[in-house]
Amino acid sequence: MNQKTKPWIQIKNSKRGFGSDNHSGVHPQILESLSFINEGHAASYGTDDISSEAQGLFKQKFGAQALTQFVFNGTAANVLALRLMCETYNSVLCSDVSHLNVDECGAPEILGLCKLIPLPSKNGKLQLEDLKKAVIRRGDQHFSQVRAISLTQPTELGTVYSFEELKSIISWAKSENLYVHIDGSRFSNAAYLLNKTYRELTTDLGVDVVSFGGTKNGLMFGEAVLILNSDLKKKAPYVRKQLGQLPSKSRFIAAQFIAYFRNDLWKEIGSHSMKMAQELRLRIEGLPGVEVMYPTDSNAVFVKLPQAWIKSLREQFFFYVWDELTFECRLMTSWDTQIDDIIQFSEALKSLSQQNRQREL
Amino acid sequence: MNQKTKPWIQIKNSKRGFGSDNHSGVHPQILESLSFINEGHAASYGTDDISSEAQGLFKQKFGAQALTQFVFNGTAANVLALRLMCETYNSVLCSDVSHLNVDECGAPEILGLCKLIPLPSKNGKLQLEDLKKAVIRRGDQHFSQVRAISLTQPTELGTVYSFEELKSIISWAKSENLYVHIDGSRFSNAAYLLNKTYRELTTDLGVDVVSFGGTKNGLMFGEAVLILNSDLKKKAPYVRKQLGQLPSKSRFIAAQFIAYFRNDLWKEIGSHSMKMAQELRLRIEGLPGVEVMYPTDSNAVFVKLPQAWIKSLREQFFFYVWDELTFECRLMTSWDTQIDDIIQFSEALKSLSQQNRQREL
Amino acid sequence: MNQKTKPWIQIKNSKRGFGSDNHSGVHPQILESLSFINEGHAASYGTDDISSEAQGLFKQKFGAQALTQFVFNGTAANVLALRLMCETYNSVLCSDVSHLNVDECGAPEILGLCKLIPLPSKNGKLQLEDLKKAVIRRGDQHFSQVRAISLTQPTELGTVYSFEELKSIISWAKSENLYVHIDGSRFSNAAYLLNKTYRELTTDLGVDVVSFGGTKNGLMFGEAVLILNSDLKKKAPYVRKQLGQLPSKSRFIAAQFIAYFRNDLWKEIGSHSMKMAQELRLRIEGLPGVEVMYPTDSNAVFVKLPQAWIKSLREQFFFYVWDELTFECRLMTSWDTQIDDIIQFSEALKSLSQQNRQREL
Amino acid sequence: MNQKTKPWIQIKNSKRGFGSDNHSGVHPQILESLSFINEGHAASYGTDDISSEAQGLFKQKFGAQALTQFVFNGTAANVLALRLMCETYNSVLCSDVSHLNVDECGAPEILGLCKLIPLPSKNGKLQLEDLKKAVIRRGDQHFSQVRAISLTQPTELGTVYSFEELKSIISWAKSENLYVHIDGSRFSNAAYLLNKTYRELTTDLGVDVVSFGGTKNGLMFGEAVLILNSDLKKKAPYVRKQLGQLPSKSRFIAAQFIAYFRNDLWKEIGSHSMKMAQELRLRIEGLPGVEVMYPTDSNAVFVKLPQAWIKSLREQFFFYVWDELTFECRLMTSWDTQIDDIIQFSEALKSLSQQNRQREL
């Protein structure tokens, strides 16, 4: 590193951990893309060549009818999707643990201008029988009319709807004239696990809108809203602008997605973080005191830990306590998780587990 | 450039011009900052060290009470400001040509949840006498109660409120118990022109909230909402999150602002673009057929051109026709505008002007 | 009056005046209708026979395609109209003095979910040339897209658009693919003045939605939103319910409108109040110190009075000071205004005028 | 009835039944009050003497700090309450069967500008332990912050929270700094059952806002929002106006409430309908095939009936099928329900029950 590029700014406290895949930085190939396009002038607000190229890539992956709207973050992607699918007197069925319902600070209702109907979930997944029971009172003006369902894929609990599950839920939704939204901040992981193309998991099944995540998969910022149903396209540019989500230097989001798709980088990123999660689970499952929960289909492992362990563990490796009452914790891997991180963490856990047993004896 | 960093993605059509300061790319020092901090893990959602450091810098510049909320773009910055100042039954006085009124696609009303009252302007500036006449019907429940004024500084027409103008408007506003918002997507240019610190132009005068621009001043993305009135801070984090404006990898906005302030880079960026605008004006003012409008206080020159010239000019240099009826055009310089750009453009204009005269003779 | 019906409740301070046509009570024939239908049970929420009968009457008057939605008040009628015509990224052109713009406390924006663009007016009327200049930037996502115009008929200043004025404005609007809304809280007065049927003034010209007033024309409460454009009907019941405007005992609004139309009571009510306004104008116009303003087409006379007179006059007869700066006052007549009211008021004014002259001499 | 008052309008299809207490007409004493005040002029928008008198009555009943805001219907009353208690990033805890959650067509979210969190209920009542578990993630900007609870009293299932239940829930809410709203469209029935004053059931316990019903208790239209917490008063007039709920001829709501309170008419109305519900339950409970559900604390009896009976029963007496899947039906009595209505209905049911048994034998 020569003088010129010597960092005059640095992350000071860069403790590694399992906090979230947005605690990681930017994948080098994605970062690099930002430098490559940083020359000359380009039209703003998505009318430049790089944005067109990215549009084209998404069309290749999701089908020629796909319209991509880049937005800045995941809340915005979901809100834009809701706004396109719903009138103000419509409801959206979602799981009780969905990000939409519990982590958007009311944005779906206040900005999305619709009502959410949270339904019970199993391992984070909506169940067809619950969905069916929720479609009631059609045409009754007193009742916010159900208009869409929102599936998180992978779910907030790190599980993945199987292809069969998706098919049965989505074909039912279509038969009921409901729109289908996929909240896919880590959608590539599901595609990798299921070994299906993006298109097979969305357009071909009848999905109408996808919130396709970038930031949690190695981008610096930026998500793509994929509008697969042509009836929903017309309003999109105006709604996005009004929501404060029209990027002026749009090319800097577009370039990141181009990098993300180039040489299947998305697979590398997804498969690595998922392999790390498997590795982590393997090393800690069965340790006395550690209760691993849910299937580990994506890049998160959920564990119940004794309350007493949590403070000291978190001093070494950051992670979130998912449920303050039960001490369920979320351990999330990322594109940059190293096997050493896993080893150190599992060793620390082993050590706590052993101390615990000795105390008990 | 070695093999590894050979661009596999490039802007193809990078025609230079005077379209907007968001047609330029990212200033190299700002881009560099993004690489420097791209290592290890950092807490998300603004709780990391880089974000804290940037917060500290803004406190130095605007006063210790300043709370900074990073958001993604200018629409969002303005909407957040409105939401903090207004109840739903409040109005905001703004100029008829303000971005708020004519370029936000209704976001101030629908997302900002308030009413705008557009007032006449002179060279883009609100006039005190018009403001005074607009504060009526206090306590009348039928009338949306005026609660704030929003000044664009520099204005949308490239002019700058003088210190005296600011003082008289803001002190009047305070005497009327109105909040004062500054829409400052190019605020640094005003500070440079007026040779005042940010603080002298805001906090010290009683300004409550500033939309402090980044993207148009050499950043890749990101704006800072400066909340200078402590009464308005409490709601800010929730409202920002709900608006879809909480950046998860917040440090990548923070780092850009750190770079922007480092070694007074902001002055370099501002003064350069402003000097280029002066240069441009100098070279084209007085050309037969060219009518230069408004003082050129910031980095934009407005000119009325004969309709016939516009098409061919725009093929060479992109710029916007500001008013489709009068053929008023906006020529905007930027941190990367070169003297050659100015020369080529003014030569092209001169040539059109001469052809015109010859045709007339 | 026998013991049983002896009032145990009475208006104590029933000073007559020219405050507003909503200061009057309920026309006896309208009040009577409420007693007539007060028996047995009836289905709620508009599904009863009386509501159907009223629907039928409105169809007779506005055309078979008309869908009537009863709501509680005028703000609500206007908001419902806006919601049916606009997406959130649409604007509505209205006059700067329109009720929508200055007397709804921001309801059009916050509840109507659209942007208002107030235009200059002449005697309270929108001018075609101003409307034309406001339809700009079609397809530009940054600009809230103009989608409708709203005409107040009669205007807030007591004037009435002539049939020719309506025709030229509305045919232009249709040519521009804009919806047309009429804010007609006293619409019957316009119909009476112009000697046209409701239908000739609305449906036949291409009007899309009418806020058809009841409360200011002798009803106790209740307005009718006439949806004349079939494309706009579908959302109406849901939006009305959500707006808190679905009357459960709907028949008590419906019955009032049946009474209002029976034997052309609407003409009697309208013509009386308008005649009284003419009478009032006749008696006070030309008095030294009294400046009568605007044509008196409907039931309001606007006068500028010397500030010194206002307090004592208002102690005898209530009326509103319309403009606090110029002391323009609004004198409004009603279905129950008596010629004696006019005589007393004009005598009082004469007396003030004479005192004034004597003081001046 | 003389010629003059011979009805020229009448309810044609006035089949009595148990549809809802808003299928009944207006109580004669309440109707009478409307005639009594229908003379002369009165100030509009709530500034008249009758409105003041009603305000005074509510102060007597709820405490001197009570501010009453009349609105047109129950949806509006609830929405106004929510708007006063909540910021846009707040949630309200309510029961899963609450009117707010299932019968307002999304108005709480879209107009009330907050999020609802529906909780499980037992006989329509919220349970303290469920409420406690829902107050989580305080200060977490990602989570819509719980700010209020809404209790329906009597509940939608015709049950009434006991005084002890109220006390424990409300004192807990206060300890958690949550506002308490009572959705009381039939609140008088609860007061009658519990033999407590309105004040004892609200102000004295710490309730902040009450939606106090009129329309379902013999009024023609009109509800009263009682604002008991002085901190919440300031915004009320503006928010009400903006919501389209400011009645211009306010005295016609006020007079009805004066009648409602005069000579304790409210008790007569409440006790009668509740006695009729008891009578109805008595006569049908235990009939083979009829399953009576929930305690009958107010004026509704819920029964599960064999699907085959419903059509023929509803041809004779209108009532609602409450749950389309289980054929749970709601039988609602009213101030005008006659013992004969009960007898006829129970006889019809008996007859169906006997036919059924014979068929089974």
Side-chain angles (χ1 to χ4, degrees):
Chain A
M1 192 174 285
N2 61 19
Q3 183 57 30
K4 184 173 161 265
T5 57
K6 188 174 160 200
W8 39 263
I9 177 173
Q10 272 179 291
I11 294 188
K12 291 167 213 159
N13 176 6
S14 66
K15 188 173 65 179
R16 301 180 64 83
F18 304 93
S20 176
D21 30 20
N22 60 32
H23 287 213
S24 303
V26 185
H27 190 283
Q29 290 176 43
I30 292 171
L31 188 66
E32 194 181 53
S33 74
L34 298 173
S35 305
F36 289 164
I37 65 159
N38 192 38
E39 54 174 39
H41 285 187
S44 48
Y45 303 117
T47 56
D48 61 291
D49 295 331
I50 301 285
S51 297
S52 298
E53 188 178 334
Q55 278 276 0
L57 283 176
F58 277 108
K59 281 178 188 293
Q60 280 173 31
K61 299 200 174 291
F62 284 87
Q65 87 300 342
L67 174 71
T68 304
Q69 296 271 288
F70 296 122
V71 296
F72 292 109
N73 76 2
T75 305
N78 287 338
V79 165
L80 177 53
L82 297 178
R83 282 286 286 274
L84 298 181
M85 299 186 300
C86 292
E87 298 288 340
T88 63
Y89 49 84
N90 286 145
S91 298
V92 176
L93 305 178
C94 61
S95 104
D96 51 359
V97 301
S98 65
H99 205 80
L100 270 189
N101 192 42
V102 300
D103 282 303
E104 302 285 34
C105 199
E109 290 92 347
I110 306 301
L111 252 74
L113 295 176
C114 65
K115 183 181 176 72
L116 296 184
I117 299 184
L119 299 179
S121 56
K122 198 174 152 188
N123 288 342
K125 299 184 200 174
L126 284 162
Q127 303 297 302
L128 185 52
E129 57 266 43
D130 295 315
L131 288 164
K132 283 181 177 170
K133 276 186 282 185
V135 180
I136 53 172
R137 300 173 66 182
R138 287 280 176 95
D140 173 353
Q141 65 188 323
H142 298 267
F143 189 71
S144 175
Q145 300 288 296
V146 178
R147 190 73 187 94
I149 65 172
S150 178
L151 304 170
T152 314
Q153 173 80 321
T155 72
E156 290 78 4
L157 301 183
T159 56
V160 168
Y161 288 90
S162 72
F163 189 64
E164 286 310 313
E165 286 170 332
L166 283 180
K167 235 168 75 174
S168 71
I169 288 177
I170 296 173
S171 71
W172 164 81
K174 297 286 109 179
S175 77
E176 290 283 2
N177 197 25
L178 301 178
Y179 291 123
V180 177
H181 167 244
I182 289 190
D183 181 358
S185 63
R186 302 169 183 104
F187 191 63
S188 293
N189 292 5
Y192 183 78
L193 180 84
L194 299 174
N195 195 23
K196 298 275 181 189
T197 64
Y198 294 132
R199 182 181 171 135
E200 286 167 333
L201 293 176
T202 57
T203 311
D204 291 353
L205 292 174
V207 170
D208 298 283
V209 190
V210 181
S211 298
F212 186 87
T215 317
K216 286 173 173 158
N217 308 290
L219 272 67
M220 183 184 290
F221 70 109
E223 315 279 306
V225 179
L226 273 296
I227 308 169
L228 306 175
N229 179 332
S230 294
D231 296 345
L232 302 180
K233 290 179 186 174
K234 200 184 133 201
K235 299 183 189 180
Y238 298 107
V239 173
R240 176 175 64 159
K241 163 66 190 177
Q242 189 178 72
L243 288 171
Q245 294 294 335
L246 175 57
S248 60
K249 296 178 174 174
S250 165
R251 59 198 180 277
F252 290 96
I253 295 182
Q256 294 182 74
F257 276 111
I258 293 171
Y260 182 64
F261 289 136
R262 186 171 166 260
N263 298 335
D264 283 346
L265 177 60
W266 68 271
K267 278 195 188 165
E268 190 182 318
I269 286 174
S271 65
H272 175 82
S273 65
M274 289 160 77
K275 200 158 51 181
M276 289 295 107
Q278 290 299 337
E279 192 67 39
L280 176 58
R281 181 176 184 133
L282 241 158
R283 287 172 187 261
I284 65 177
E285 195 160 25
L287 289 181
V290 175
E291 182 188 347
V292 179
M293 309 176 73
Y294 322 123
T296 300
D297 296 338
S298 181
N299 63 325
V301 182
F302 287 77
V303 281
K304 271 194 199 160
L305 296 178
Q307 182 180 359
W309 302 7
I310 288 172
K311 189 159 174 276
S312 80
L313 257 183
R314 297 226 303 183
E315 276 162 12
Q316 299 167 264
F317 313 88
F318 186 75
F319 58 87
Y320 284 102
V321 176
W322 198 247
D323 184 322
E324 296 170 17
L325 303 174
T326 61
F327 297 101
E328 182 180 330
C329 300
R330 187 186 72 175
L331 304 169
M332 190 148 245
T333 57
S334 181
W335 68 266
D336 70 345
T337 302
Q338 302 301 319
I339 186 68
D340 274 359
D341 301 328
I342 308 282
I343 293 170
Q344 286 169 34
F345 180 80
S346 54
E347 291 304 316
L349 208 54
K350 241 175 248 174
S351 155
L352 281 163
S353 178
Q354 281 164 357
Q355 287 165 32
N356 204 41
R357 291 196 79 187
Q358 285 163 354
R359 214 172 298 125
E360 281 174 355
L361 296 174
Chain B
M1 191 176 285
N2 61 22
Q3 183 59 30
K4 183 171 162 265
T5 58
K6 190 175 159 200
W8 39 263
I9 177 173
Q10 272 178 288
I11 295 188
K12 290 167 214 160
N13 176 6
S14 65
K15 188 174 65 181
R16 302 180 64 84
F18 304 94
S20 176
D21 30 20
N22 60 31
H23 287 212
S24 302
V26 186
H27 190 283
Q29 290 176 42
I30 292 171
L31 188 66
E32 193 182 54
S33 73
L34 297 172
S35 306
F36 290 164
I37 65 159
N38 192 38
E39 54 175 41
H41 286 187
S44 49
Y45 303 118
T47 57
D48 61 290
D49 294 331
I50 302 285
S51 296
S52 297
E53 188 177 333
Q55 277 276 359
L57 283 175
F58 277 107
K59 281 178 188 291
Q60 280 173 32
K61 299 199 174 292
F62 284 86
Q65 85 301 342
L67 173 71
T68 305
Q69 297 271 289
F70 295 122
V71 297
F72 291 110
N73 76 2
T75 305
N78 286 339
V79 166
L80 177 53
L82 297 177
R83 282 285 286 275
L84 299 181
M85 299 186 299
C86 291
E87 298 287 340
T88 62
Y89 48 85
N90 286 144
S91 297
V92 176
L93 306 178
C94 61
S95 105
D96 50 359
V97 301
S98 64
H99 206 80
L100 269 190
N101 191 43
V102 301
D103 282 302
E104 302 285 34
C105 198
E109 289 90 348
I110 306 301
L111 254 74
L113 295 176
C114 65
K115 183 180 176 72
L116 295 184
I117 299 185
L119 298 180
S121 57
K122 197 173 152 189
N123 288 341
K125 299 184 200 176
L126 284 162
Q127 302 298 302
L128 185 52
E129 57 266 41
D130 295 315
L131 290 164
K132 284 182 176 170
K133 276 186 282 184
V135 180
I136 53 172
R137 300 174 66 182
R138 288 277 175 97
D140 173 353
Q141 66 187 322
H142 298 266
F143 189 70
S144 174
Q145 301 287 296
V146 178
R147 190 73 188 95
I149 65 172
S150 177
L151 303 170
T152 313
Q153 174 79 321
T155 73
E156 290 78 5
L157 301 183
T159 56
V160 168
Y161 287 90
S162 73
F163 190 65
E164 286 310 313
E165 286 170 332
L166 284 180
K167 234 167 77 173
S168 71
I169 289 177
I170 296 172
S171 71
W172 165 81
K174 298 285 110 179
S175 76
E176 290 283 3
N177 197 25
L178 301 177
Y179 292 123
V180 177
H181 168 244
I182 289 190
D183 180 358
S185 63
R186 301 170 183 103
F187 191 62
S188 294
N189 292 5
Y192 183 79
L193 180 84
L194 299 175
N195 195 23
K196 297 276 182 188
T197 65
Y198 295 132
R199 182 181 173 134
E200 285 167 334
L201 293 176
T202 57
T203 311
D204 291 354
L205 291 175
V207 170
D208 298 283
V209 190
V210 181
S211 298
F212 185 88
T215 318
K216 286 173 173 158
N217 307 288
L219 272 66
M220 183 184 290
F221 70 109
E223 314 279 307
V225 179
L226 274 296
I227 307 168
L228 305 175
N229 179 332
S230 293
D231 296 345
L232 302 180
K233 291 178 186 174
K234 201 182 132 201
K235 300 184 188 179
Y238 299 107
V239 173
R240 177 175 62 160
K241 163 66 191 178
Q242 189 178 72
L243 287 171
Q245 294 294 333
L246 176 58
S248 60
K249 296 179 174 174
S250 165
R251 60 198 179 278
F252 289 96
I253 295 182
Q256 293 183 75
F257 276 111
I258 293 171
Y260 182 63
F261 289 137
R262 185 171 168 259
N263 298 334
D264 282 346
L265 177 60
W266 68 270
K267 276 195 190 167
E268 190 182 319
I269 287 174
S271 65
H272 175 81
S273 65
M274 289 159 79
K275 200 158 51 180
M276 288 295 108
Q278 291 299 337
E279 192 68 38
L280 176 58
R281 180 175 185 132
L282 242 158
R283 285 171 188 263
I284 66 177
E285 194 160 27
L287 290 180
V290 175
E291 181 187 349
V292 179
M293 309 175 73
Y294 322 123
T296 299
D297 296 338
S298 182
N299 62 324
V301 181
F302 287 78
V303 280
K304 272 194 197 157
L305 296 178
Q307 181 180 359
W309 302 7
I310 288 173
K311 189 161 174 275
S312 80
L313 257 184
R314 295 227 303 183
E315 277 162 12
Q316 300 168 264
F317 314 88
F318 187 75
F319 57 87
Y320 284 103
V321 176
W322 198 246
D323 184 321
E324 296 171 17
L325 303 174
T326 61
F327 299 100
E328 183 180 331
C329 300
R330 187 187 72 174
L331 305 169
M332 190 147 244
T333 57
S334 180
W335 67 266
D336 70 346
T337 301
Q338 302 301 319
I339 186 69
D340 274 0
D341 301 328
I342 307 282
I343 293 169
Q344 287 169 32
F345 181 80
S346 55
E347 291 305 316
L349 207 54
K350 240 176 250 176
S351 153
L352 282 163
S353 179
Q354 280 164 357
Q355 287 164 31
N356 204 41
R357 292 196 78 186
Q358 285 162 354
R359 212 172 301 123
E360 281 174 355
L361 295 175
Chain C
M1 192 175 287
N2 62 20
Q3 184 58 30
K4 182 170 163 272
T5 58
K6 191 175 159 196
W8 41 261
I9 177 174
Q10 272 179 290
I11 295 187
K12 289 167 212 157
N13 176 5
S14 66
K15 189 173 65 180
R16 302 179 65 84
F18 303 94
S20 176
D21 31 19
N22 61 30
H23 286 212
S24 303
V26 185
H27 191 282
Q29 290 176 42
I30 292 171
L31 188 65
E32 196 181 52
S33 73
L34 298 173
S35 305
F36 290 165
I37 64 159
N38 192 38
E39 55 173 41
H41 285 187
S44 48
Y45 303 118
T47 58
D48 61 290
D49 294 331
I50 301 286
S51 296
S52 297
E53 189 178 333
Q55 278 275 2
L57 283 176
F58 276 107
K59 281 177 186 292
Q60 279 173 31
K61 298 199 175 294
F62 283 86
Q65 86 300 344
L67 173 71
T68 305
Q69 296 271 289
F70 296 122
V71 297
F72 291 111
N73 76 3
T75 305
N78 287 338
V79 166
L80 177 53
L82 297 177
R83 283 283 286 273
L84 298 181
M85 299 186 300
C86 292
E87 299 288 342
T88 62
Y89 49 84
N90 286 144
S91 297
V92 176
L93 306 178
C94 61
S95 104
D96 51 358
V97 300
S98 64
H99 205 80
L100 270 189
N101 191 42
V102 299
D103 282 303
E104 303 285 33
C105 199
E109 289 91 347
I110 307 300
L111 254 74
L113 295 176
C114 65
K115 183 180 176 72
L116 296 184
I117 299 184
L119 299 180
S121 57
K122 197 172 153 189
N123 288 340
K125 300 183 201 176
L126 285 162
Q127 303 297 302
L128 185 52
E129 57 268 40
D130 295 314
L131 290 163
K132 283 181 177 171
K133 276 185 283 184
V135 180
I136 52 172
R137 300 174 66 181
R138 288 278 175 95
D140 173 352
Q141 63 187 326
H142 297 267
F143 189 70
S144 174
Q145 299 288 297
V146 178
R147 189 74 188 93
I149 65 172
S150 177
L151 303 169
T152 312
Q153 173 80 321
T155 72
E156 290 78 5
L157 301 183
T159 56
V160 168
Y161 288 90
S162 72
F163 189 65
E164 286 311 313
E165 286 171 332
L166 284 180
K167 238 169 73 175
S168 70
I169 288 177
I170 297 172
S171 71
W172 165 81
K174 297 286 109 180
S175 77
E176 288 284 2
N177 198 24
L178 301 178
Y179 291 123
V180 177
H181 167 244
I182 288 191
D183 181 358
S185 62
R186 302 171 183 103
F187 190 63
S188 294
N189 292 4
Y192 183 79
L193 179 85
L194 299 175
N195 195 26
K196 296 276 182 188
T197 64
Y198 294 132
R199 182 182 172 134
E200 286 168 333
L201 293 175
T202 57
T203 311
D204 291 354
L205 291 174
V207 170
D208 298 283
V209 190
V210 181
S211 298
F212 185 86
T215 317
K216 285 174 174 159
N217 308 289
L219 271 67
M220 184 183 289
F221 71 108
E223 315 279 306
V225 178
L226 274 297
I227 307 167
L228 306 175
N229 179 333
S230 293
D231 297 345
L232 302 180
K233 289 178 186 174
K234 200 183 133 200
K235 300 183 189 180
Y238 299 106
V239 173
R240 177 176 64 161
K241 162 66 190 178
Q242 188 178 73
L243 287 171
Q245 295 293 334
L246 175 57
S248 60
K249 296 179 174 174
S250 164
R251 60 198 181 278
F252 290 97
I253 295 182
Q256 293 183 74
F257 276 111
I258 293 171
Y260 182 64
F261 289 137
R262 184 170 168 260
N263 298 334
D264 282 347
L265 177 59
W266 68 271
K267 278 194 187 166
E268 192 182 316
I269 286 173
S271 65
H272 175 80
S273 65
M274 289 160 79
K275 199 157 54 180
M276 288 295 106
Q278 291 299 337
E279 193 67 40
L280 176 57
R281 180 173 185 135
L282 240 158
R283 286 171 188 262
I284 64 177
E285 194 160 26
L287 290 180
V290 175
E291 182 190 347
V292 180
M293 307 175 74
Y294 322 122
T296 300
D297 296 338
S298 181
N299 63 325
V301 182
F302 286 78
V303 281
K304 272 194 197 156
L305 297 178
Q307 182 181 1
W309 303 6
I310 288 173
K311 186 159 175 276
S312 80
L313 257 184
R314 296 226 306 183
E315 276 162 12
Q316 300 167 266
F317 314 89
F318 186 76
F319 59 87
Y320 284 101
V321 176
W322 199 245
D323 184 321
E324 296 170 17
L325 302 175
T326 62
F327 299 101
E328 183 180 330
C329 299
R330 186 187 72 173
L331 304 169
M332 189 148 247
T333 57
S334 180
W335 67 267
D336 70 345
T337 302
Q338 302 302 317
I339 185 69
D340 274 1
D341 301 329
I342 306 284
I343 293 171
Q344 286 169 32
F345 181 80
S346 55
E347 290 305 315
L349 208 54
K350 242 175 246 175
S351 154
L352 282 163
S353 178
Q354 281 165 357
Q355 287 165 32
N356 204 42
R357 293 196 77 189
Q358 285 163 355
R359 214 173 296 125
E360 282 175 354
L361 296 175
Chain D
M1 193 174 285
N2 61 20
Q3 183 59 31
K4 184 173 161 267
T5 58
K6 190 175 160 199
W8 40 263
I9 177 173
Q10 271 180 290
I11 295 186
K12 289 166 212 158
N13 176 6
S14 66
K15 187 174 66 179
R16 302 180 65 82
F18 303 95
S20 176
D21 31 18
N22 61 31
H23 287 211
S24 302
V26 185
H27 192 282
Q29 290 176 42
I30 292 171
L31 188 65
E32 194 180 54
S33 73
L34 298 173
S35 305
F36 290 165
I37 64 158
N38 191 38
E39 54 175 40
H41 285 188
S44 49
Y45 302 118
T47 57
D48 61 291
D49 294 331
I50 302 285
S51 296
S52 298
E53 189 178 333
Q55 278 275 1
L57 283 175
F58 277 106
K59 281 176 187 290
Q60 280 174 32
K61 298 198 175 294
F62 284 86
Q65 86 300 343
L67 173 71
T68 305
Q69 296 272 288
F70 296 122
V71 297
F72 291 111
N73 75 3
T75 305
N78 287 339
V79 165
L80 177 53
L82 297 177
R83 282 285 286 273
L84 299 181
M85 299 185 300
C86 293
E87 298 289 340
T88 62
Y89 49 84
N90 286 144
S91 298
V92 176
L93 306 178
C94 61
S95 104
D96 50 359
V97 300
S98 65
H99 205 79
L100 270 189
N101 191 43
V102 298
D103 282 302
E104 303 286 33
C105 198
E109 289 91 348
I110 306 301
L111 254 73
L113 296 176
C114 65
K115 182 180 176 71
L116 296 184
I117 299 184
L119 299 180
S121 57
K122 196 173 153 189
N123 289 342
K125 299 183 201 176
L126 284 162
Q127 303 297 302
L128 185 52
E129 57 266 43
D130 295 315
L131 289 164
K132 283 181 176 169
K133 277 186 281 185
V135 180
I136 52 172
R137 300 175 66 181
R138 288 277 175 97
D140 173 353
Q141 65 188 323
H142 298 266
F143 189 70
S144 174
Q145 299 288 298
V146 178
R147 189 73 188 93
I149 64 171
S150 177
L151 303 169
T152 313
Q153 173 80 321
T155 71
E156 290 78 5
L157 301 183
T159 56
V160 168
Y161 288 90
S162 73
F163 189 66
E164 286 310 313
E165 286 171 332
L166 283 180
K167 238 168 73 175
S168 71
I169 289 177
I170 297 172
S171 71
W172 164 80
K174 296 286 109 179
S175 77
E176 289 282 3
N177 198 25
L178 301 178
Y179 290 123
V180 177
H181 168 244
I182 289 191
D183 181 358
S185 64
R186 302 170 183 103
F187 190 63
S188 293
N189 292 4
Y192 183 78
L193 180 85
L194 300 174
N195 196 24
K196 296 277 182 189
T197 63
Y198 294 131
R199 182 181 171 134
E200 286 168 333
L201 293 176
T202 57
T203 311
D204 292 354
L205 291 174
V207 170
D208 298 283
V209 189
V210 181
S211 298
F212 185 87
T215 316
K216 286 173 173 160
N217 308 288
L219 271 68
M220 183 183 289
F221 71 107
E223 316 279 305
V225 178
L226 273 297
I227 308 168
L228 306 175
N229 179 332
S230 293
D231 296 345
L232 303 180
K233 290 178 186 175
K234 201 183 132 201
K235 300 182 189 179
Y238 298 107
V239 173
R240 177 175 64 160
K241 163 67 190 178
Q242 189 178 71
L243 287 171
Q245 295 293 334
L246 175 58
S248 60
K249 296 178 173 174
S250 165
R251 60 198 180 278
F252 290 97
I253 296 182
Q256 293 183 75
F257 276 111
I258 293 171
Y260 182 64
F261 289 137
R262 185 171 167 260
N263 299 333
D264 282 348
L265 177 60
W266 68 271
K267 278 194 188 166
E268 192 182 315
I269 286 173
S271 65
H272 176 81
S273 66
M274 288 159 78
K275 199 157 52 180
M276 288 296 106
Q278 291 300 336
E279 193 65 40
L280 176 58
R281 180 173 185 135
L282 241 158
R283 286 171 188 261
I284 64 176
E285 195 160 26
L287 290 179
V290 174
E291 183 188 347
V292 180
M293 308 177 73
Y294 322 122
T296 299
D297 295 339
S298 181
N299 62 325
V301 182
F302 286 78
V303 281
K304 271 195 197 155
L305 297 178
Q307 182 180 2
W309 303 7
I310 287 173
K311 186 158 177 276
S312 80
L313 257 184
R314 296 225 306 183
E315 276 163 12
Q316 298 167 267
F317 314 88
F318 186 77
F319 59 87
Y320 284 102
V321 176
W322 198 246
D323 184 321
E324 296 170 18
L325 303 174
T326 62
F327 298 102
E328 182 180 330
C329 299
R330 187 186 72 173
L331 305 169
M332 189 147 247
T333 57
S334 181
W335 67 267
D336 70 345
T337 302
Q338 302 302 317
I339 185 69
D340 274 1
D341 301 329
I342 307 284
I343 292 170
Q344 286 169 32
F345 181 80
S346 54
E347 290 305 315
L349 208 54
K350 242 175 247 174
S351 153
L352 281 163
S353 179
Q354 281 163 358
Q355 288 165 31
N356 205 40
R357 292 196 78 188
Q358 285 163 356
R359 215 173 297 125
E360 282 174 354
L361 296 174

